[in-house]
């Protein structure tokens, strides 16, 4: 089970890190054109989401890997799960049903990591 947690954490961290960097470096107009949902948020809000994703990615890996404050790993997973719940809500409100699946899956994997790290496999 511990191997599955580490694999999930690594995959999530790589994905969130990549998404966060994309939101930080891409111009806001391009994000609106490609993703569409950023039009509902100010440019600084989209950048803030990118920063939160990068910090969440680091929080998924570094505390458990270094054994320094390993409680932060499930906390990061919970924070990212809340972000994905928000993403599901945004896509549902915008009636973008085809875009709900990815954040819903990421939400479930974050919950898996949080339960595993809060529970029997803390570090």
């Amino acid at each position: 089970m511990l191997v599955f947690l580490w694999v999930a954490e690594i995959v999530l961290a790589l994905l969130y890190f990549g998404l966060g960097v994309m939101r930080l470096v891409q111009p806001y107009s391009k994000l609106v054109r490609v993703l569409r949902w950023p039009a509902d948020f100010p440019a600084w809000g989209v950048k803030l989401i990118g920063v939160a994703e990068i910090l969440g990615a680091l929080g998924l890996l570094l505390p458990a890997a270094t054994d320094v404050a390993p409680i932060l790993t499930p906390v990061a997973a919970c924070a990212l799960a809340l972000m994905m719940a928000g993403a599901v809500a945004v896509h549902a409100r915008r009636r973008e049903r085809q875009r709900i699946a990815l954040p819903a899956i990421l939400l479930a994997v974050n919950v898996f990591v949080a339960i595993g790290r809060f529970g029997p496999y803390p570090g």
Side-chain angles (χ1 to χ4, degrees):
M1 182 68 153
L2 190 58
V3 172
F4 291 122
L5 279 172
W6 275 110
V7 169
E9 289 170 26
I10 291 168
V11 169
L12 284 173
L14 290 172
L15 184 66
Y16 283 122
F17 192 83
L19 289 172
V21 168
M22 178 193 68
R23 293 190 211 310
L24 283 178
V25 301
Q26 292 291 325
Y28 177 74
S29 59
K30 184 174 181 181
L31 291 173
V32 169
R33 190 172 57 250
V34 173
L35 300 176
R36 295 194 294 273
W37 66 263
D40 291 354
F41 297 90
W44 64 266
V46 176
K47 301 294 183 196
L48 186 63
I49 291 170
V51 169
E53 287 172 333
I54 291 170
L55 292 175
L58 296 174
L60 284 172
L61 292 181
L62 293 180
T66 62
D67 202 30
V68 175
I71 190 67
L72 293 178
T73 295
V75 170
C78 288
L80 290 168
L82 288 173
M83 284 182 59
M84 291 303 102
V88 167
V90 166
H91 291 304
R93 184 177 50 82
R94 292 177 55 91
R95 301 186 196 288
E96 298 174 336
R97 293 184 335 170
Q98 72 281 7
R99 293 182 182 233
I100 291 177
L102 180 60
I105 291 167
L106 293 175
L107 169 62
V109 176
N110 280 307
V111 169
F112 166 74
V113 169
I115 290 171
R117 290 297 184 187
F118 274 133
Y121 304 100

